[in-house]
C-alpha cells in the first residue's frame, strides 16, 4: 500500500524496454543523435507547433532553468505560496536564476488567485530599481495541493501576465494527470491559453528520469544551451532520456498511465469523503488526495503496511485538523493497484 | 568505426538489465531506498573505508558540487589549464560554487606540474582579501590529454596541497581507465595518496548516467545535501542510479570494461606510432589517443565512416601540426570492437 | 519644505568639517589606519563590549552582507513583508548572499508578529533539503512604516529566533531615531535583547555615506573580510568613513540629530492627527509620518513647493484610502526646520 | 616618505571644499539631483559624445559591474594575468557578474600581448557550450605594472576584440596618469580606439571615493540601473560623489594632480635607474615605480620612515631578484612632495 509519492514507483515496463532497446550501438552525444531529433519532432506534433525542447535531469532543474531563461537583474517571479518552486526545491530556483526572487501569492486550493496576482504585480507598475521588476509568473498544473486549474483559470492568469508583459511558465511535473483530468489537448492547456514555457515531467508518471523544458516560442530559448550547460544539466548520453520519452509518448502510454493514477485517486476520494475516521481535507482532481485522519487511524494504517506522509497543514487553513487528527497526503501512480486501494480503504473504513 | 567519444556508446547490457530488474515495485525516493543504501555500502568496501556518497546527473555536476563543498568567499581552485573543469564545463564550476575562481596551472602532458603548482599556491602565502585565497587543488585522472598521473605524481600534488592546508579533488570521469592502467586499487589511487574528494564516473564506461561524488572523510560532506538540492541534482528515483552502479561494480564489470577500452586504445597506439600518414601526437595511457593525421587521411577516414573529432592544438605545443596536418582525438570505449579497430587502422596504414 | 526622504538632506556641518580635517596627510588604506582603529574602539565603548566593525557603502550593502555572513545553501531569512530588504533593495540581499531566500512574515505596523514568526519558522522544524533551512531573522528598527519595536518586542522576536538556533540581524538604517524614541542605550536595544548583527546607519542621519556592520560576537565575523571584498564593498580610503563616524559619534551628535528629526515628525503628527483634509494613516514613533491626504490637498501642497512621495498602500490595509485620497509619506531629518514644518502644516490645515 | 600606495593620500583640498560647499540644502537622492545631472553632462563634454554615467563606490565595483553589464551564461572575459580584476579584486568580478570567468592572457610589461590574445580568443571560434563563450576583453590603463598602452596598442587590442564581436572594457583606476603620460584626450584614449566601457577612477588621484562607469554607447547601459542596485552600489546621497567630480574635473585639476604624481615618479625613475643598491625592475611610465632593492637598503629605508610595499615577483620574471634582493613598489600621488622624494632618494643613493 504505497501512497507516499508517485516517485516511489519505478519505471513502467515499456520505458525499461525502450531503454534496453536503445542501449546498444553508437549515437552522437549531447542531444544531437537521430533519436534525440526524432523526439524533438515528436514534441512538435504533440503541441501542434514548433517548439524548442531541452532535456534536464530533475523537475527542479526544469523549473529553475525555465525561470533562468527569463531572468534579469532584480527579477521577481510570482508563484503560489505552496508552489513547488517556493516550497520544495531547496532554493534551486533562486540559485540557478542568479538570485532572482520568488514572490508568493495567495489563493485557495493551491491555485494563484487571479485578482490577488493582479494586485501584487500592479505594485510594480511604476518602474523602480529599489523594488526590482517582475520577470515571470509561474503556475503549477496539477498543483501541489492536488487541484487543477481549469482552462479558463489558466487563461485568466496568463491574461494578467500578458497585460504586464510577463512570460508565463507552467510547472508540469504532473502535466499528464492534469491533462487527463481536464480531457484537454496539450496545446489547449498551454500556449493556446497563454503559457510560454513548460516543464514537461515524465518522471512522476512512469519514467526513470525524464524531464523536458518546452519553449513554445523557440526564439525565447536562445540562451538556454549555455544556461543548461552552466547548470550542469546537459547529459552526455541524451538518448537515455529520449528513449524514455519515446516509449512514454507512444500510443498514448503517458495518458493511459496518468488516467490510471487519477482513477485510483478517485477511488480513494469517493470512499474517504464519507468515512468517519478519515475525511477529505479538500477536494482534489489529480492523483493526489489530502485527508484528515484520526491519529489512531494513521498509526494503524502505517502499522498495517501503508506508506504515506503526514503533511504540513496549509498556512491558510490553520483550523483544518483538531488535536487528535493529522493531515495526510496520499499519492497514487501508474503502479498503484486496485488491490492496494482496496486494502487501504478497508483499513480506513474499518471494514 | 566510432572513436568520437566514449559517451557515444550506450549502456552495457548488464547495466540495462539491472535497470529493468529494479524497475518494478516501490522504493523510497531521494536516496533512502534499500538499494541506495546497499550501493553506498558497496562504495565503503570498494574504497576500504567509510565514505560519503552523493549521486548526481553529470560529470560536470560531480566536479562542480565537489568544489562547491569546499567553496568560500574569494576561493581559488588550482587545476591544469586543460582540465575538464577549466576547458569543457561551460562555467559550471564557477556558477555552482557561487563564483569561485579556477586558477590554471601549466604542466606537460595535461598533468599539473608539481613545482609550478607550488609556486602558484605560494603566491597566496601572505593572506590578502585582494588576492583571494586558495580553496582546493583538483586533478584529473585520467587526464583530458589521455595521460595518467602515476601514484607518485598524485602523492606529490597532494603533498603540496596538504602543505598549504588545501583539500584535493580528483575528477575521475575516467577513473576506471586510469585504475586499470596503473593496476592499482581504488584506495591506493585516492585517499592513500591524499585525495579528499572524488568524482567517480560511470557514464563514460558503460552506464547511462551514473556519477557519484565520494568524500573520503564524511565529515566534509555535511553541507552537501543542501548544496546538491540547491543545484537541482537530487534525483527522486535514485534507484535508477543505484541500479546502474549495482551492475557496474558487480564482479569487477567496471574494470573489465575499462580494461577493454584501454586495450583497444593500445592497439591504436602501437600501430599509429609507426604510421607515415598518421603519428601519435603524444604518448597516452588511457582510452584516449591523440594523433596527427595528414588532412587527406583524416578526410578519407571520415569518408569511409570513421567518426572522430578534430582537436584544438594544445596551447603549449603550437608547432605540433604542420599546415597540411590536423590533430585528431580517438576515444575507445567498452563497446569498441576489434573489427572497428582493424578497419580503422587499415585505412590509416593504407593497407 | 522637504519631506521626501531623510536622504535628500546633505551632510551635517560637523561631518563636513571632520572630512576636511582628515583630508590631508597619509594614512594606511583598507581599514588599517589609526583613525579607523580609533573608530572601531569607539564602537566598543558605544556598545559596551568588544564588537567587530565593517564599513560598507550603502545600507543595502550593510544588510546584504550581514546576511551573507550567515548564509548557507538553501538558507531562508525571515523578515517582515515590508522590510527594506524585501521591499526596497532590488534583490541585493538575495544576490549578495549567493541566492538565499527572504521569507516574508506578516505583522501589523510594519513589525514582525512574533506568533506568526514562530509558526512560520516551525514549519522548518523537520529538517528537509526540499524546504531549505532557516538561517536568520531580520528586523528593522525603526521600521519602514515609521514604527518602533519596543525593547520587549525585540526580545520576543529574538527569543523565538534563539529557540530555533537562528541569529538575529537588525537593520538599523534609522537606528538613532529608534534609540532616541525609546530612550534606550545602544546595548539595550541590541545584544542585550538578543540581536547578533546590526546594520548601523549614519547616512540618513547626517552623514554623507557611512554605514557599518556590527557583529556583537566577533567570532561570527571571521569570513566577513573576504565576503566584503568579494562584494566590492571594501573602500580604499576608509578614513573617509571613519572621519564621518568620528564627528557623528562625538558628544552625542548622532542622538541630537535624530532627536531633532523625531521632534519635527512629532509636530507633523500632532497637527495632522486632527486635520480634516489630512489624517494620520497610522501611528508612528520615528522620523517618518504616513498620512492620508485629500488628493486636492496633496496637489496643492506640491504646487506650493512641498516635496514628498505618494506611497503604496500596505497590502494588509486595502481600505485605507478612498478614491479621492492618497497615502503620502513625510520624512523629517536633522536638517528639517521649524519654519518648513510651520509652512507645511499651514497648508494642510488651510491656515 | 609615503610610497605605499596612492590611496594612502587623503583628498585634495579642493575636493574637500567642494564637499563642504554641497553639504547644505536638499537634493534629490539616487542620482537625480541637479548637481548629478550637471556632472553627467560634464562627462559628455569630456568625452566629446553622449555617454551614460554610473557612480559606484570602489574601483573593484566599477570593473565588476562594467563586466556584469555584458555578462551572459558561460561568459569568458580576457584580461592580462596581472590585471587588477584578476589579481586584486578578491573574486568580485566573478561574483558580481554571476560567475563569469576571467581568462588570463600573457604579455610583457603587464600589457596584453595582442597576438596572444588573438590566439586565445580564436580557440572559441567554433561555438561550444562546453567551452563557454567570450564576452569581453578588459585592459588596464595605466597597467598594474606601471606601464601604459600606447594609443596604437589600445587600438590593436580593440581591433582583435571587434573582429570577434567582443566589447572592450578599460580599467581606468589610474586613467588620468595614463592620459597625462600619453598627452592624449579622453576620447582619443578610449572610444576613438575602440573602448566601449570605461571604469573612470578618481579615488587614487585625489578624491575620497569617486568612481564612475562610463558607457560610450548609452544603449549598452540599459540593464545597469538594476545591476547596480542589485549589487548594493547605488548611493542615496549621490551628490557626495558628484561634488567630488565637480572639483576634480574643474579647470583640469585632475590632469594637474596626475601630472604631479607622474613627475614625482619620473624623479624616482631617473635616479634609481643609475643607483647601485637599487635599480629599476622594469621601465614604467605612470605614477608607479618598481625597483629591485638590496634587502639591506629596503630595511634601512623603512627604518628611516619610508613606507612602501615589497612586491610579488611577476610570474614571467622568475630571475628578477637574487637572494639578497627584494622587489619593491613605489607609488607617488598628488600629495607626494619633492622633499619626500629627495629624502628617499638620498637614502637609496647613500647620499
Amino acid at each position: 500500500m504505497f501512497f507516499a509519492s508517485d516517485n516511489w514507483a519505478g519505471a513502467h515496463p515499456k520505458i525499461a524496454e525502450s531503454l534496453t532497446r536503445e542501449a546498444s550501438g553508437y549515437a552522437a552525444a549531447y542531444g544531437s543523435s537521430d533519436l534525440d531529433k526524432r523526439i524533438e519532432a515528436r514534441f512538435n506534433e504533440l503541441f501542434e507547433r514548433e517548439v524548442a525542447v531541452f532535456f534536464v535531469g530533475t523537475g527542479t532543474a526544469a523549473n529553475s532553468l525555465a525561470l533562468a531563461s527569463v531572468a534579469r537583474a532584480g527579477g521577481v517571479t510570482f508563484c503560489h505560496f505552496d508552489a513547488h518552486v517556493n516550497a520544495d526545491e531547496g532554493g534551486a530556483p533562486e540559485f540557478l536564476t542568479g538570485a532572482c526572487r520568488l514572490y508568493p501569492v495567495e489563493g485557495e486550493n493551491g491555485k494563484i488567485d487571479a485578482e490577488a496576482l493582479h494586485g501584487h504585480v500592479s505594485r510594480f507598475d511604476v518602474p523602480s530599481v529599489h523594488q526590482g521588476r517582475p520577470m515571470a509568473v509561474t503556475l503549477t498544473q496539477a498543483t501541489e495541493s492536488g487541484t487543477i486549474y481549469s482552462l479558463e483559470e489558466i487563461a485568466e492568469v496568463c491574461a494578467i501576465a500578458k497585460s504586464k508583459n510577463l512570460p508565463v511558465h507552467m510547472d508540469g511535473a504532473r502535466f499528464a494527470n492534469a491533462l487527463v483530468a481536464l480531457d484537454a489537448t496539450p496545446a489547449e492547456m498551454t500556449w493556446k491559453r497563454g503559457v510560454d514555457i513548460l516543464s514537461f515531467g515524465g518522471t512522476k508518471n512512469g519514467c526513470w528520469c525524464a524531464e523536458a523544458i518546452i519553449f513554445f516560442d523557440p526564439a525565447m530559448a536562445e540562451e538556454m544551451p549555455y544556461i543548461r550547460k552552466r547548470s550542469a544539466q546537459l547529459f552526455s548520453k541524451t538518448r537515455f532520456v529520449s528513449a524514455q520519452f519515446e516509449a512514454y509518448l507512444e500510443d498514448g502510454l503517458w495518458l493511459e498511465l496518468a488516467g490510471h493514477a487519477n482513477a485510483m485517486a478517485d477511488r480513494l476520494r469517493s470512499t474517504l469523503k464519507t468515512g468517519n475516521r478519515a475525511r477529505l481535507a479538500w477536494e482534489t482532481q489529480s492523483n493526489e488526495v489530502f485527508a484528515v485522519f484520526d491519529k489512531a487511524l494513521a498509526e494503524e494504517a502505517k502499522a498495517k503496511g501503508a506508506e504515506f506522509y503526514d503533511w504540513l497543514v496549509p498556512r491558510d487553513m490553520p483550523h483544518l485538523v483538531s488535536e487528535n487528527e493529522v493531515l495526510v497526503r496520499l499519492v497514487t501512480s501508474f503502479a498503484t493497484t486496485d488491490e492496494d486501494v482496496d486494502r487501504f480503504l478497508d483499513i480506513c473504513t474499518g471494514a
Side-chain angles (χ1 to χ4, degrees), chain A residues 3-229:
Chain A
F3 303 106
S5 179
D6 29 14
N7 57 35
W8 282 44
H12 188 272
K14 288 189 181 168
I15 306 286
E17 277 164 36
S18 181
L19 270 174
T20 300
R21 195 166 48 242
E22 298 290 350
S24 63
Y26 293 88
Y30 299 117
S32 53
S33 75
D34 292 344
L35 177 59
D36 296 331
K37 298 296 176 199
R38 209 158 65 231
I39 296 307
E40 287 185 21
R42 185 72 189 83
F43 275 106
N44 291 344
E45 278 171 44
L46 200 69
F47 286 100
E48 305 172 35
R49 68 182 292 166
E50 198 198 335
V51 300
V53 180
F54 294 83
F55 299 152
V56 294
T58 63
T60 295
N63 292 337
S64 299
L65 298 193
L67 296 179
S69 74
V70 295
R72 46 190 191 164
V76 172
T77 296
F78 299 84
C79 65
H80 189 274
F81 186 88
D82 293 326
H84 203 260
V85 286
N86 196 46
D88 288 300
E89 301 191 344
E94 287 91 343
F95 188 61
L96 298 177
T97 57
C100 288
R101 176 184 296 177
L102 295 173
Y103 186 117
V105 174
E106 61 271 33
E108 293 192 350
N109 301 315
K111 293 190 271 190
I112 292 173
D113 180 273
E115 199 179 338
L117 173 65
H118 185 265
H120 291 299
V121 182
S122 297
R123 297 178 76 84
F124 294 81
D125 280 352
V126 179
S128 152
V129 296
H130 305 283
Q131 276 194 288
R133 48 186 173 171
M135 77 181 203
V137 173
T138 178
L139 45 79
T140 314
Q141 179 78 326
T143 74
E144 294 305 305
S145 305
T147 55
I148 293 177
Y149 287 87
S150 70
L151 298 185
E152 293 69 33
E153 287 170 331
I154 296 170
E156 205 177 1
V157 167
C158 291
I160 290 166
K162 297 304 167 197
S163 76
K164 305 288 186 182
N165 290 314
L166 295 179
V168 176
H169 166 253
M170 177 182 276
D171 172 358
R174 293 191 180 93
F175 187 81
N177 301 94
L179 198 69
V180 164
L182 289 180
D183 195 20
T185 69
E188 283 168 358
M189 202 168 82
T190 56
W191 63 269
K192 287 191 174 175
R193 290 301 171 281
V195 173
D196 297 288
I197 315 174
L198 170 68
S199 296
F200 183 88
T203 308
K204 287 185 195 296
N205 192 33
C207 293
W208 272 127
C209 164
E211 304 287 322
I213 310 174
I214 312 285
F215 289 84
F216 296 113
D217 174 3
M220 285 182 67
E222 217 167 75
E223 292 289 303
M224 270 303 290
Y226 290 92
I227 289 172
R228 180 173 59 177
K229 179 64 195 176

